[in-house]
């Protein structure tokens, strides 16, 4: 899981923009990144400004967020 700050949520386009740390499994450095999500219902749980953790895959050269979670508040 990679930690990130949500910058923008596009439910209609199934996209999320995040500012994230390094994504080690994809060899991606920290950056601001707009990605598709594989399940649009994940976007119902987040909004711009939220801190999240996510997993992404890069199958077929297309990067997609496959899991998106808001850390529980203590």
């Amino acid at each position: 899981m990679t930690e990130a700050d949500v910058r923008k949520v596009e439910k209609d386009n199934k996209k999320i923009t995040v500012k994230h740390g390094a994504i080690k499994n994809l060899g991606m450095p920290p950056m601001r990144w707009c990605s598709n999500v594989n399940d649009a219902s994940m976007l119902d749980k987040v909004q711009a400004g939220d801190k999240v953790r996510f997993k992404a895959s890069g199958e077929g050269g297309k990067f997609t967020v496959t899991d998106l979670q808001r850390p529980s508040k203590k």
Side-chain angles (χ1 to χ4, degrees):
M1 297 292 276
T2 301
E3 294 185 6
D5 295 320
V6 177
R7 299 296 191 202
K8 185 176 181 181
V9 175
E10 298 178 59
K11 293 179 186 177
D12 293 340
N13 295 324
K14 291 177 62 173
K15 292 184 182 231
I16 188 168
T17 301
V18 295
K19 182 176 180 185
H20 64 78
I23 304 175
K24 295 178 182 177
N25 66 311
L26 299 178
M28 190 181 290
M31 67 174 76
R32 185 175 175 145
W33 181 50
C34 180
S35 176
N36 291 316
V37 295
N38 67 340
D39 180 359
S41 69
M42 289 189 288
L43 300 177
D44 293 334
K45 302 172 189 172
V46 297
Q47 62 185 5
D50 286 349
K51 295 204 179 289
V52 297
R53 293 172 47 96
F54 71 95
K55 286 184 185 178
S57 70
E59 296 178 21
K62 182 178 178 183
F63 297 110
T64 304
V65 172
T66 58
D67 189 9
L68 183 63
Q69 302 172 0
R70 289 180 61 190
S72 59
K73 297 191 182 209
K74 296 181 179 183

